[in-house]
Amino acid sequence: MPERIESESRKLLGRLRAAMAEASAGQARLDRIVRLIADSMGTEVCSIYLFRDPDTLELCATEGLRPEAVHQTRLRLGEGLVGRVARDRIVINTADAPSERGFRYMPETGEERFSSFCGIPIQRLGEALGVLVVQSRAARVFTPDEVYALEIVAMVLAEMTELGAFTAGDGNGALSPRHQRPVTFRGLQGQEGAAMGRVWLHEPRVVVTNPFSDDPDRELARLCAAIDSLREQVDAMLATSVSVDAEEVAVLEAYRMIANSKSWIRRMQDDIRSGLSAEAAVEKEQSLARTRMGQAADAYLRDRLHDIDDISNRLLRILTGQGGDTGAAMPDDPVLVARNIGPGELLDYGKGTLRGIVLEEGSVGSHAAVVARAWAIPLVIRAEGITTEALNGDPILVDGDQGLAHLRPDETVRRAFEDKIAMLARAQERYAGLRHLPAKALCGTTISLHMNAGLMADLPSLASSGAEGVGLFRTELQFLVRNQMPKRAELQALYARVMDAAQGKRVAFRTLDIGSDKVLSYMKPQDEPNPAMGWRAIRLGLDKPGVLRMQLQALVRAAAGRPLTVMFPFVATPEEFRAARAEFDKALARERILGHPLPSQAEVGAMVETPSLAFAPDEFLREVDFLSVGGNDLKQFFFAADRENERVRRRYDPLSTSFLRFLRDFVRRCEATGTPLGFCGEDAGRPVEAVALAALGFRTLSMRPASIGPVKSLIRRIRLDEATRLIEDAIAAGHDSARPALDAWLARQPV
Ligand code: PEP
Ligand code: MG
């Protein structure tokens, strides 16, 4: 970069800094800044547009356009050239603005006199905050050096906007400060329920407090030292992970490449020489990477940009001294806000800690969602942009029913929400009153309601929910919460405690179901094209039988004289079940030889999670002690719709007649062979779906504890034989779904 431009932009930034220091009110600062920029750039016009709300840009200051237009002229995102710069986060630089695509004439500003236009997005970490515009009468395209200088200024403006420098003390009805106004995020429902609390960011943001610098040499030295520490960090991580994990090594190698990338470092050095602080220079590169990440169609490129984003974060932490642990105390009513989270990381927070969860990404079928469901806390997923808007400690309302998160809600919303929470609490009280009553329908059929669990902390729910037993104990959660493989003695002690807590009620222990999205940090991850259909659950258990054997032995020893129920996950063929059962029999035989007490009785079953098992021969149905339908997986394979992919997972209704017919025929075969059958997928806990399953003949349903009340309450109000008839009629009549008929019928039932 030519030195002249470097010192020009440094001079401009120097003047900006002086202006920031002098003028105290936000509007006065903005007015000074636009004057300064117009003067330095030799343009007739300089304007700053900022977002009033996520869809509207407002002219907040101008030099050269009509002053009356300030705070009056507004544009929608994408509207006019300014709106396009903000939406697409691109620079528009043209000598002839009126003939540019999307130009919109704004008569109140008097801008018709100006032919050239250069609009620069004011953005921070890939989020558009506004637009900086210069215009001039003479028809000319701004030079690359001028555009660069404006980009540097826009970067500083972004930081100042983020810090609220333009909004404090206005009194002119302008914009409310960023991170202070109420914002509602419309995501998707991950788990029903309502909660109020305060934001706790899973990954706290790094705050850059000073974007300027007048001592480039010092900043260059700081950057250089920080990059050295970064390289050391990456090398140290590589040294410890080499033998363990090929994927992690690949990522770290990519990090090392970036940390040594001459062009990356040179760009940041240029920015520093132009007047930015080292932190602001890193953030400028990070912003660029984030913007490109949103636009890149190529997955490889996206991954690399993601790496830059990640490594920039590390560099910022080194420069600012703000670590992953910022020392901030978690509020006592935390609502977790994160881009995404795995089940292991979520479990680290511990049951009872979080009031709710809001994720920017996430999926309803993921195991993190299963954990949220087990904890009975509301979960909103796909709340786009929340991690950039929310600050630690911000008040937040989570509406899991509607998939909404109200950040910094105003008084009216907060009051309405309190009413909703009170209503839900009253419903809970009503359900608690049913705790000791059976789920007996008006026609006389009784359904046995069990609960799903996975942690010791879930067990108290057995009594409070009125569950008859644990229909699914997800043993992998114990493996996910640790940093290393648990020992047999630890597992034995834990299983024994679970049985103690169950006080003789049946607990169906499902053996380890890992793979797919359940990744153990201490096991080598597999690079599989489609992990949900890959090396997971019993497949892994049989290929590497050490862990399965240890687990079975721990279960047998924990039972010691008590009944034991074990089931194997994701069985696709009878042979797999036989091989797994043989392992169980071997475990029993070993214990017998050792003279240890055996379980008083043992039931060994399989989960039906693949359509293939539902079509297994009758001989197999007679062979198993029981079967339990894992509807979450079964449904994803029946409809070929990934349970973790939000685009497809809702396309297919579990009450479609094709799925109901498939389940009905399977239930009939189990009845004919006398095979005890249950259902333990999430659908068992949705009242309408639960009624349909019971109507098809499932007599045991296992669900999250919080669903037992609502499901029981509904079953007790209806005749299941009528529901059966409705479903049969829908199938016979060739309807696509039984839902409309069931919904209409349920609406007619007395409350
Ligand atoms: C299922 O697949 O329905 C099930 C209960 O197992 P998980 O959700 O743990 O895969
Ligand atoms: Mg499953």
Side-chain angles (χ1 to χ4, degrees):
M1 185 179 40
E3 253 176 48
R4 192 184 53 77
I5 285 298
E6 221 173 69
S7 64
E8 274 307 305
S9 72
R10 203 156 74 224
K11 244 192 271 164
L12 174 55
L13 286 193
R15 292 170 73 189
L16 276 182
R17 189 171 42 169
M20 298 294 299
E22 271 168 32
S24 57
Q27 187 64 46
R29 280 182 177 155
L30 277 174
D31 293 342
R32 291 251 349 233
I33 288 170
V34 287
R35 237 175 290 140
L36 264 173
I37 298 174
D39 183 44
S40 301
M41 304 293 297
T43 57
E44 283 103 347
V45 177
C46 174
S47 314
I48 291 175
Y49 296 79
L50 295 175
F51 276 97
R52 171 154 208 102
D53 58 56
D55 298 314
T56 319
L57 283 154
E58 181 170 303
L59 176 65
C60 288
T62 186
E63 170 70 14
L65 298 183
R66 291 201 184 114
E68 313 84 83
V70 171
H71 296 304
Q72 299 306 316
T73 291
R74 291 185 187 161
L75 291 153
R76 283 193 316 279
L77 189 64
E79 186 185 0
L81 298 188
V82 172
R84 245 180 77 202
V85 171
R87 185 195 59 198
D88 303 337
R89 284 178 265 145
I90 47 161
V91 173
I92 296 183
N93 180 7
T94 170
D96 184 9
S99 54
E100 188 72 20
R101 181 168 61 87
F103 177 79
R104 176 182 163 294
Y105 169 50
M106 297 178 288
E108 72 279 13
T109 63
E111 70 169 346
E112 68 279 12
R113 291 166 285 148
F114 306 103
S115 174
S116 3
F117 172 102
C118 184
I120 311 274
I122 299 174
Q123 57 180 330
R124 187 177 178 276
L125 301 182
E127 184 199 14
L129 306 177
V131 177
L132 169 67
V133 177
V134 290
Q135 292 173 277
S136 67
R137 269 206 188 89
R140 71 177 184 102
V141 174
F142 290 86
T143 66
D145 289 342
E146 285 173 316
V147 173
Y148 174 77
L150 286 168
E151 279 177 335
I152 292 281
V153 172
M155 168 73 207
V156 171
L157 291 177
E159 289 303 329
M160 306 316 294
T161 310
E162 175 73 11
L163 293 171
F166 304 134
T167 43
D170 276 333
N172 64 0
L175 313 175
S176 57
R178 259 182 77 67
H179 301 303
Q180 287 186 28
R181 56 184 172 228
V183 189
T184 294
F185 292 87
R186 282 166 208 289
L188 297 173
Q189 179 201 81
Q191 160 62 29
E192 296 95 339
M196 314 177 69
R198 276 170 291 161
V199 168
W200 180 250
L201 290 165
H202 183 54
E203 286 181 326
R205 356 162 2 112
V206 176
V207 183
V208 175
T209 45
N210 183 16
F212 301 105
S213 150
D214 56 355
D215 186 351
D217 291 337
R218 196 193 60 207
E219 293 303 297
L220 286 170
R222 284 183 66 228
L223 179 72
C224 185
I227 290 177
D228 282 347
S229 325
L230 176 72
R231 286 182 185 145
E232 277 166 25
Q233 261 186 21
V234 174
D235 286 346
M237 286 192 288
L238 261 169
T240 53
S241 64
V242 164
S243 55
V244 196
D245 176 343
E247 188 148 314
E248 194 181 327
V249 171
V251 170
L252 290 173
E253 294 285 6
Y255 283 5
R256 181 144 72 177
M257 238 170 64
I258 300 166
N260 287 311
S261 154
K262 288 206 174 69
S263 57
W264 183 60
I265 296 169
R266 201 180 44 241
R267 282 197 302 273
M268 292 190 288
Q269 287 170 334
D270 283 349
D271 293 341
I272 289 175
R273 287 191 197 99
S274 302
L276 291 188
S277 65
E279 289 89 334
V282 176
E283 227 179 62
K284 183 164 171 278
E285 277 301 301
Q286 193 180 16
S287 270
L288 206 71
R290 287 229 181 145
T291 305
R292 291 205 192 124
M293 205 147 63
Q295 292 160 350
D298 177 67
Y300 175 79
L301 185 60
R302 259 201 321 270
D303 278 354
R304 293 293 72 80
L305 291 166
H306 212 284
D307 292 343
I308 296 184
D309 188 48
D310 220 53
I311 204 136
S312 306
N313 266 333
R314 284 174 190 276
L315 198 50
L316 280 173
R317 293 212 171 106
I318 296 172
L319 279 165
T320 58
Q322 299 169 25
D325 173 14
T326 55
M330 191 191 280
D332 52 15
D333 51 358
V335 168
L336 187 77
V337 173
R339 235 203 276 187
N340 210 348
I341 191 164
E345 289 171 294
L346 186 53
L347 286 164
D348 280 343
Y349 282 97
K351 186 177 170 157
T353 310
L354 303 173
R355 293 273 176 101
I357 305 174
V358 185
L359 301 179
E360 255 195 69
E361 296 169 5
S363 146
V364 179
S366 71
H367 283 91
V370 168
V371 172
R373 233 159 275 151
W375 287 351
I377 53 175
L379 164 69
V380 171
I381 57 167
R382 301 286 156 140
E384 228 175 276
I386 190 151
T387 55
T388 28
E389 183 64 49
L391 297 180
N392 265 344
D394 276 349
I396 186 168
L397 311 176
V398 190
D399 185 339
D401 301 339
Q402 315 267 350
L404 296 178
H406 304 280
L407 187 65
R408 303 180 287 265
D410 59 29
E411 204 39 37
T412 340
V413 175
R414 205 175 56 78
R415 265 202 230 112
F417 212 77
E418 277 168 357
D419 290 347
K420 182 178 172 133
I421 289 180
M423 214 178 71
L424 288 174
R426 281 197 295 277
Q428 283 308 326
E429 266 171 41
R430 231 183 33 245
Y431 298 141
L434 301 176
R435 202 170 44 210
H436 300 298
L437 300 175
K440 187 172 179 186
L442 296 178
C443 54
T445 305
T446 301
I447 307 298
S448 184
L449 302 185
H450 294 241
M451 66 175 233
N452 295 344
L455 298 169
M456 198 52 220
D458 295 330
L459 269 296
S461 301
L462 253 181
S464 60
S465 68
E468 291 174 43
V470 176
L472 165 65
F473 191 90
R474 291 184 165 100
T475 60
E476 61 276 7
L477 296 193
Q478 286 307 322
F479 287 71
L480 283 163
V481 285
R482 291 158 197 259
N483 297 323
Q484 56 189 28
M485 184 71 80
K487 303 214 167 27
R488 193 200 52 219
E490 287 169 345
L491 289 180
Q492 177 187 335
L494 174 96
Y495 299 150
R497 274 195 290 138
V498 171
M499 290 181 213
D500 294 345
Q503 297 182 341
K505 286 181 175 174
R506 179 181 184 262
V507 180
F509 288 94
R510 172 175 79 182
T511 61
L512 198 56
D513 179 11
I514 50 165
S516 193
D517 70 325
K518 288 183 263 193
V519 182
L520 302 183
S521 57
Y522 45 88
M523 262 177 90
K524 189 166 175 268
Q526 302 300 313
D527 186 15
E528 296 183 289
N530 195 339
M533 295 204 276
W535 199 50
R536 56 176 286 201
I538 199 64
R539 297 172 180 176
L540 202 150
L542 292 173
D543 289 357
K544 297 242 175 248
V547 181
L548 180 66
R549 284 178 189 151
M550 169 183 80
Q551 208 186 3
L552 291 173
Q553 200 172 25
L555 283 165
V556 170
R557 287 192 182 175
R562 295 183 275 196
L564 174 64
T565 304
V566 173
M567 62 182 179
F568 298 113
F570 212 68
V571 176
T573 63
E575 295 93 282
E576 282 175 343
F577 175 75
R578 283 175 204 132
R581 182 172 207 153
E583 289 295 343
F584 181 74
D585 291 340
K586 266 193 253 168
L588 282 182
R590 217 176 296 127
E591 291 307 292
R592 194 176 294 120
I593 292 167
L594 291 172
H596 293 159
L598 298 181
S600 57
Q601 91 193 49
E603 285 184 286
V604 183
M607 288 187 69
V608 181
E609 303 190 272
T610 60
S612 64
L613 206 67
F615 291 105
D618 287 353
E619 286 65 26
F620 169 72
L621 302 188
R622 289 196 194 92
E623 198 177 320
V624 293
D625 294 334
F626 69 95
L627 289 172
S628 182
V629 171
N632 307 336
D633 275 309
L634 185 63
K635 204 167 56 174
Q636 81 165 335
F637 297 114
F638 185 81
F639 290 111
D642 186 344
R643 66 192 265 191
E644 285 202 67
N645 181 341
E646 282 306 318
R647 278 235 173 96
V648 300
R649 52 159 250 103
R650 281 168 195 270
R651 285 174 108 97
Y652 308 100
D653 188 345
L655 296 186
S656 76
T657 45
S658 57
F659 193 51
L660 293 182
R661 181 200 291 253
F662 165 66
L663 290 178
R664 178 199 66 184
D665 294 350
F666 180 58
V667 171
R668 282 183 184 165
R669 288 184 54 219
C670 288
E671 280 167 1
T673 50
T675 314
L677 177 66
F679 189 106
C680 66
E682 302 297 324
D683 286 330
R686 302 199 168 92
V688 181
E689 280 80 346
V691 164
L693 292 168
L696 290 178
F698 285 96
R699 291 293 168 259
T700 303
L701 300 177
S702 190
M703 61 198 74
R704 63 192 186 94
S707 291
I708 290 182
V711 167
K712 190 187 279 186
S713 156
L714 184 58
I715 289 178
R716 288 175 59 85
R717 290 196 285 119
I718 53 146
R719 291 189 62 99
L720 276 170
D721 51 359
E722 281 184 29
T724 309
R725 193 173 41 74
L726 284 174
I727 292 174
E728 289 300 346
D729 287 352
I731 293 175
H735 294 156
D736 287 351
S737 170
R739 191 177 293 277
L742 277 173
D743 279 348
W745 170 73
L746 284 171
R748 291 196 302 272
Q749 304 304 304
V751 187

XYZ file of all heavy atoms in Angstrom, residues 481-513:
265
model
N -20.634 -37.117 29.557
C -20.310 -36.061 30.521
C -18.855 -36.123 30.984
O -18.401 -35.247 31.692
C -21.194 -36.092 31.796
C -22.565 -35.570 31.513
C -21.237 -37.457 32.417
N -18.155 -37.154 30.592
C -16.774 -37.278 31.088
C -15.735 -36.934 30.040
O -16.035 -36.895 28.855
C -16.519 -38.736 31.508
C -17.278 -39.126 32.733
C -17.428 -40.622 32.771
N -18.481 -40.945 33.697
C -18.265 -41.371 34.928
N -17.046 -41.560 35.335
N -19.268 -41.632 35.734
N -14.520 -36.768 30.536
C -13.422 -36.512 29.612
C -12.641 -37.775 29.306
O -11.708 -37.769 28.534
C -12.452 -35.486 30.197
C -13.154 -34.175 30.390
O -13.991 -33.798 29.575
N -12.849 -33.483 31.476
N -12.970 -38.840 30.018
C -12.304 -40.105 29.716
C -13.272 -41.256 29.930
O -14.291 -41.102 30.611
C -11.065 -40.274 30.578
C -11.369 -40.188 32.055
C -10.088 -40.145 32.865
O -9.077 -39.673 32.379
N -10.138 -40.638 34.087
N -12.916 -42.376 29.353
C -13.782 -43.558 29.433
C -14.018 -43.923 30.904
O -13.064 -44.075 31.669
C -13.045 -44.690 28.711
C -13.824 -45.964 28.595
S -15.189 -45.853 27.430
C -14.396 -46.058 25.874
N -15.296 -44.055 31.310
C -15.514 -44.429 32.707
C -15.022 -45.851 32.987
O -14.972 -46.682 32.088
C -17.038 -44.339 32.862
C -17.604 -44.279 31.493
C -16.520 -43.846 30.560
N -14.699 -46.107 34.240
C -14.217 -47.446 34.604
C -15.409 -48.332 34.968
O -16.467 -47.829 35.337
C -13.293 -47.332 35.805
C -12.127 -46.401 35.550
C -10.899 -46.886 36.259
C -9.639 -46.212 35.818
N -9.738 -44.865 35.288
N -15.185 -49.647 34.878
C -16.303 -50.558 35.135
C -16.865 -50.367 36.540
O -18.072 -50.341 36.747
C -15.851 -52.015 34.938
C -17.027 -52.965 34.871
C -16.633 -54.385 35.151
N -15.894 -54.467 36.402
C -14.853 -55.259 36.598
N -14.425 -56.043 35.632
N -14.225 -55.277 37.755
N -15.970 -50.214 37.499
C -16.444 -50.085 38.877
C -17.318 -48.837 39.032
O -18.325 -48.853 39.750
C -15.253 -50.021 39.822
N -16.942 -47.762 38.327
C -17.743 -46.525 38.413
C -19.127 -46.755 37.830
O -20.146 -46.341 38.389
C -17.081 -45.404 37.596
C -15.830 -44.828 38.207
C -15.081 -43.925 37.226
O -15.359 -43.974 36.003
O -14.228 -43.207 37.679
N -19.141 -47.443 36.678
C -20.438 -47.690 36.038
C -21.300 -48.587 36.917
O -22.493 -48.353 37.093
C -20.236 -48.349 34.669
C -19.656 -47.450 33.581
C -19.515 -48.218 32.281
C -20.531 -46.220 33.360
N -20.669 -49.613 37.469
C -21.419 -50.539 38.325
C -22.057 -49.779 39.492
O -23.244 -49.949 39.793
C -20.461 -51.608 38.842
C -21.109 -52.577 39.805
C -20.074 -53.520 40.422
O -19.022 -53.763 39.827
N -20.392 -54.053 41.584
N -21.265 -48.901 40.105
C -21.785 -48.138 41.248
C -22.948 -47.252 40.792
O -23.983 -47.160 41.472
C -20.671 -47.292 41.846
N -22.801 -46.651 39.626
C -23.841 -45.753 39.135
C -25.130 -46.533 38.824
O -26.231 -46.141 39.238
C -23.350 -45.040 37.879
C -24.441 -44.204 37.258
C -24.309 -42.769 37.724
C -24.437 -44.273 35.763
N -24.985 -47.655 38.105
C -26.188 -48.431 37.761
C -26.882 -48.934 39.029
O -28.109 -48.980 39.099
C -25.828 -49.599 36.829
C -25.225 -49.159 35.502
C -24.301 -49.961 34.831
C -25.565 -47.934 34.925
C -23.734 -49.559 33.622
C -24.998 -47.524 33.722
C -24.086 -48.335 33.077
O -23.533 -47.926 31.896
N -26.057 -49.306 40.013
C -26.655 -49.786 41.266
C -27.448 -48.655 41.920
O -28.562 -48.873 42.427
C -25.561 -50.297 42.203
N -26.903 -47.443 41.855
C -27.614 -46.304 42.457
C -28.907 -46.004 41.707
O -29.920 -45.656 42.292
C -26.708 -45.066 42.489
C -25.838 -45.060 43.738
C -25.211 -43.712 43.967
N -24.203 -43.457 42.941
C -24.040 -42.294 42.319
N -24.809 -41.278 42.604
N -23.106 -42.143 41.407
N -28.862 -46.175 40.376
C -30.079 -45.952 39.586
C -31.145 -46.966 40.024
O -32.308 -46.625 40.254
C -29.781 -46.093 38.072
C -31.073 -46.095 37.264
C -28.865 -44.969 37.604
N -30.731 -48.229 40.164
C -31.709 -49.257 40.570
C -32.215 -48.989 41.985
O -33.395 -49.176 42.270
C -31.069 -50.643 40.474
C -30.815 -51.075 39.030
S -30.091 -52.729 38.983
C -29.041 -52.612 37.557
N -31.306 -48.548 42.857
C -31.748 -48.212 44.228
C -32.823 -47.131 44.169
O -33.863 -47.225 44.810
C -30.587 -47.659 45.076
C -29.507 -48.703 45.343
O -29.788 -49.896 45.119
O -28.392 -48.302 45.748
N -32.511 -46.083 43.369
C -33.431 -44.944 43.308
C -34.763 -45.355 42.683
O -35.806 -44.777 43.003
C -32.807 -43.810 42.508
N -34.739 -46.338 41.800
C -35.980 -46.768 41.145
C -36.845 -47.606 42.082
O -38.024 -47.858 41.791
C -35.665 -47.554 39.880
N -36.298 -48.048 43.172
C -37.043 -48.790 44.214
C -37.896 -49.907 43.640
O -39.099 -49.978 43.897
C -37.917 -47.829 45.008
C -37.077 -46.806 45.751
C -37.926 -45.872 46.597
O -39.128 -45.767 46.365
N -37.321 -45.217 47.546
N -37.287 -50.732 42.839
C -37.993 -51.911 42.324
C -38.755 -51.668 41.033
O -39.237 -52.603 40.402
N -38.896 -50.403 40.635
C -39.556 -50.151 39.342
C -38.604 -50.584 38.224
O -37.377 -50.510 38.379
C -39.897 -48.672 39.188
C -41.078 -48.242 40.056
C -41.390 -46.779 39.840
C -42.636 -46.350 40.610
N -42.889 -44.919 40.548
N -39.195 -50.969 37.090
C -38.368 -51.469 35.978
C -37.560 -50.338 35.354
O -38.080 -49.259 35.101
C -39.304 -52.085 34.932
C -38.643 -52.637 33.690
C -39.751 -53.183 32.787
N -39.253 -53.830 31.598
C -39.162 -53.247 30.403
N -39.497 -51.970 30.262
N -38.738 -53.922 29.359
N -36.258 -50.609 35.123
C -35.416 -49.643 34.406
C -34.827 -50.369 33.198
O -34.116 -51.357 33.353
C -34.249 -49.123 35.288
C -33.394 -48.130 34.496
C -34.762 -48.476 36.558
N -35.168 -49.907 31.986
C -34.622 -50.541 30.778
C -33.329 -49.827 30.406
O -33.359 -48.717 29.877
C -35.635 -50.472 29.647
N -32.202 -50.476 30.723
C -30.897 -49.875 30.417
C -30.570 -50.135 28.954
O -30.479 -51.291 28.527
C -29.802 -50.514 31.285
C -29.860 -50.099 32.725
C -30.536 -50.874 33.659
C -29.240 -48.927 33.144
C -30.590 -50.499 34.993
C -29.281 -48.542 34.475
C -29.966 -49.327 35.403
N -30.414 -49.072 28.221
C -29.995 -49.247 26.833
C -28.478 -49.186 26.790
O -27.877 -48.249 27.331
C -30.571 -48.133 25.966
C -29.993 -48.187 24.567
C -30.620 -47.186 23.673
N -30.078 -45.853 23.870
C -30.514 -44.795 23.199
N -31.495 -44.927 22.323
N -29.988 -43.614 23.397
N -27.860 -50.155 26.147
C -26.390 -50.125 26.094
C -25.947 -48.946 25.238
O -26.745 -48.343 24.503
C -25.807 -51.442 25.543
O -26.276 -51.633 24.215
C -26.196 -52.627 26.416
N -24.671 -48.673 25.346
C -24.083 -47.469 24.758
C -24.530 -47.213 23.316
O -24.372 -48.064 22.446
C -22.559 -47.651 24.804
C -21.702 -46.428 24.644
C -22.061 -45.388 25.690
C -20.236 -46.822 24.787
N -25.101 -46.027 23.104
C -25.517 -45.636 21.753
C -24.700 -44.414 21.360
O -25.140 -43.276 21.516
C -27.020 -45.316 21.761
C -27.512 -44.886 20.382
O -26.756 -45.029 19.404
O -28.653 -44.405 20.286
